[in-house]
Amino acid sequence: MRKWLTGSILLYFIYGLFVYWYLFVFSKTGIPASFEGTSADPATFMSGRELILSQDYSTIKNFLYFVTVPFEWFLLFVFLITGMSRKMQEWSNATSKFFSLQSAVYFFWLSLYVTVLSFPVEWIGYQKSKEYNITTQSFSSWMKDQVIDFWVNYALMTVIVIVVYWLIRRFEKRWWLYAWLLSIPFSLFLMFVQPVVIDPLYNDFYPLQNKELEEKILAIADKADIPAEHVYEVNMSEKTNALNAYVTGIGSNSRIVLWDTTLNRLNEDEILFIMAHEMGHYVMNHIYVGIAGYLLLSLFGLFFIHLLMKMVIRRYGTLLKIHSIKELTAFPLFLILLGMLTFVSSPLSNTVSRYQEKSADIYAIEMTNDHEAAVRSFQELSKAGLSQVNPPALVKIFRYTHPTMFERILYLEEHGDKNSNHE
């Protein structure tokens, strides 16, 4: 056990050194010389101080992301190899004769263990965000969100744990297929209730207060044949200076949401472009394409997890204190494999997402026909979030669900040039 623990700590340390070297030493985030002085050059729309802050903040944020992802896997591995998972199952078994209650007790202690040990890293992220004036949230408000996160995730995951282990115990060879089939209505249900049940736990949502702007947005929606009755705004200025807008929910609960920071910082033309972008997602059914892609990946993911769990328990079960896939003790292994497969598949899912975002950008520019407002909105988004215009390749591959700001501004300019030539 000591050998494996020492090896895993050493491996994690080497990984951390590599990430540090890649982000702080190796990576160059400047734009090609041929684009210097263009609207895609951050030096043309950021001050010298903003350029330095965006570089520093983005690098720190990316470093924390890459070192945090495997940190949770490491915690779960320690939970297994030290026998804590085995002990926790024994304690949960003693609390009740009902497996559902045993599962709830076991997962509570597992969640608490990971949350408490991960808290320092989360706190560092919060402090850095506040230091660079991205976060405006007080510590008490931030802690409130952390507590809500814990209980929402615990409630949802407890249901998943109970169902998955019931299936494993009942259908050991095909549990992954039945779990996937049940995940379809469960995922759709979550997406349906999220805007009206989950999101309001964190922020207040209300119809857009600027009725004149809402009429213009709804006019674009009508032009695109979108049956929208309201645009919603959310009071994010209590928590952040960053800008955002998004589409959430499905069916009758689908919503187009604007952060009040976006309303406060961007002018009307820029907001209309962003709204047209969000409507583009609706028109091109990106939400449903995303659901289909997620379900397809989850089918293969659950199948691979089934095979990998069997293989790992067969070879290393004694070391990890796991006797069978049917035991709650094995759940940390399930989470480790799920996390790894999700991370490994993120370049694929991010590539699809970036394609969708580009399509929505093109749709928005064709709807508004205002290239200058579109470019300004992306420049303001970069400034408000202190984001790198041209991030390192690995950051883009593993983190970016949107094209980089350099790419977005560039193809909007090219689109505008083509239109001018045609005219």
Side-chain angles (χ1 to χ4, degrees):
M1 182 184 72
R2 284 194 296 270
K3 183 179 73 173
W4 277 83
L5 277 175
T6 303
S8 61
I9 292 171
L10 181 61
L11 184 63
Y12 182 67
F13 180 72
I14 293 172
Y15 166 79
L17 285 178
F18 168 76
V19 172
Y20 182 89
W21 169 81
Y22 179 78
L23 292 175
F24 287 90
V25 180
F26 175 77
S27 297
K28 306 298 179 186
T29 57
I31 63 170
S34 57
F35 295 100
E36 291 179 358
T38 67
S39 57
D41 181 359
T44 64
F45 59 87
M46 287 187 183
S47 66
R49 183 173 182 273
E50 286 172 332
L51 284 171
I52 294 171
L53 290 176
S54 64
Q55 176 65 26
D56 292 347
Y57 176 68
S58 294
T59 304
I60 292 170
K61 185 173 64 174
N62 291 328
F63 177 75
L64 287 174
Y65 168 79
F66 280 109
V67 297
T68 300
V69 169
F71 182 64
E72 185 170 318
W73 308 342
F74 172 73
L75 292 179
L76 292 168
F77 174 71
V78 171
F79 198 71
L80 285 170
I81 200 169
T82 59
M84 289 177 64
S85 184
R86 167 66 54 188
K87 287 284 187 185
M88 211 64 74
Q89 179 174 316
E90 293 172 0
W91 294 342
S92 63
N93 289 348
T95 60
S96 173
K97 62 180 181 180
F98 298 105
F99 180 73
S100 57
L101 288 177
Q102 294 172 6
S103 301
V105 171
Y106 173 86
F107 187 64
F108 172 79
W109 290 112
L110 175 62
S111 300
L112 191 63
Y113 161 79
V114 172
T115 301
V116 169
L117 292 182
S118 300
F119 181 80
V121 179
E122 297 291 332
W123 182 80
I124 290 171
Y126 163 72
Q127 284 295 111
K128 286 298 176 183
S129 184
K130 193 157 188 176
E131 181 182 325
Y132 283 86
N133 203 33
I134 300 299
T135 292
T136 58
Q137 192 173 17
S138 66
F139 179 74
S140 59
S141 174
W142 179 75
M143 277 300 302
K144 177 185 174 183
D145 282 353
Q146 298 301 304
V147 172
I148 292 173
D149 273 344
F150 176 85
W151 287 112
V152 169
N153 291 332
Y154 172 71
L156 294 176
M157 284 300 297
T158 298
V159 173
I160 293 172
V161 171
I162 292 171
V163 172
V164 166
Y165 269 90
W166 180 82
L167 291 172
I168 290 175
R169 290 181 165 204
R170 187 80 181 270
F171 313 102
E172 186 174 352
K173 292 183 179 180
R174 293 285 183 270
W175 69 267
W176 55 272
L177 178 60
Y178 300 132
W180 177 76
L181 291 171
L182 287 175
S183 74
I184 298 174
F186 184 71
S187 299
L188 294 175
F189 172 75
L190 285 182
M191 294 198 70
F192 184 78
V193 302
Q194 180 178 334
V196 294
V197 177
I198 298 176
D199 289 348
L201 294 173
Y202 299 89
N203 296 97
D204 296 325
F205 292 78
Y206 34 83
L208 185 60
Q209 295 179 346
N210 186 336
K211 295 304 175 185
E212 184 180 342
L213 177 60
E214 185 178 45
E215 285 181 12
K216 293 181 179 180
I217 293 172
L218 292 177
I220 298 176
D222 183 63
K223 185 179 176 181
D225 295 324
I226 298 173
E229 296 182 3
H230 294 289
V231 177
Y232 290 86
E233 63 176 283
V234 54
N235 62 331
M236 289 300 297
S237 56
E238 295 180 354
K239 298 182 178 181
T240 183
N241 285 319
L243 313 181
N244 199 13
Y246 59 90
V247 177
T248 186
I250 58 174
S252 60
N253 277 1
S254 59
R255 288 181 175 181
I256 299 175
V257 179
L258 264 169
W259 287 11
D260 62 346
T261 51
T262 305
L263 291 165
N264 295 335
R265 183 150 179 170
L266 301 187
N267 65 36
E268 187 175 279
D269 292 337
E270 294 160 0
I271 291 171
L272 290 176
F273 169 77
I274 289 176
M275 286 291 92
H277 169 97
E278 298 305 331
M279 292 174 193
H281 287 302
Y282 182 96
V283 170
M284 291 179 276
N285 296 313
H286 286 167
I287 293 176
Y288 297 100
V289 171
I291 293 172
Y294 161 76
L295 291 174
L296 183 62
L297 280 176
S298 64
L299 173 61
F300 288 104
L302 286 169
F303 175 65
F304 284 129
I305 286 173
H306 169 72
L307 295 180
L308 290 170
M309 284 187 75
K310 287 283 189 180
M311 182 189 72
V312 171
I313 293 172
R314 186 168 57 250
R315 294 187 61 180
Y316 304 107
T318 302
L319 176 72
L320 300 175
K321 318 295 191 294
I322 304 173
H323 303 149
S324 167
I325 192 176
K326 296 180 180 181
E327 296 180 310
L328 283 172
T329 306
F331 189 63
L333 177 60
F334 176 93
L335 292 177
I336 292 171
L337 296 175
L338 176 62
M340 288 181 171
L341 289 175
T342 300
F343 183 73
V344 169
S345 65
S346 61
L348 174 61
S349 57
N350 288 345
T351 299
V352 174
S353 178
R354 288 194 296 269
Y355 173 80
Q356 291 181 334
E357 295 296 335
K358 181 177 181 179
S359 300
D361 283 345
I362 299 300
Y363 176 88
I365 201 63
E366 291 175 350
M367 285 290 287
T368 61
N369 197 31
D370 192 340
H371 290 79
E372 290 184 4
V375 170
R376 287 198 308 270
S377 67
F378 288 149
Q379 292 174 339
E380 287 298 324
L381 284 168
S382 297
K383 290 171 66 176
L386 292 181
S387 56
Q388 291 171 319
V389 171
N390 192 29
L394 287 181
V395 173
K396 175 186 172 181
I397 291 170
F398 283 96
R399 294 209 66 192
Y400 272 51
T401 56
H402 292 61
T404 66
M405 286 303 180
F406 175 73
E407 293 168 333
R408 298 179 89 174
I409 293 174
L410 203 59
Y411 63 63
L412 285 180
E413 292 284 18
E414 291 172 351
H415 186 273
D417 292 340
K418 286 179 184 177
N419 281 4
S420 298
N421 293 334
H422 285 314
E423 292 173 1

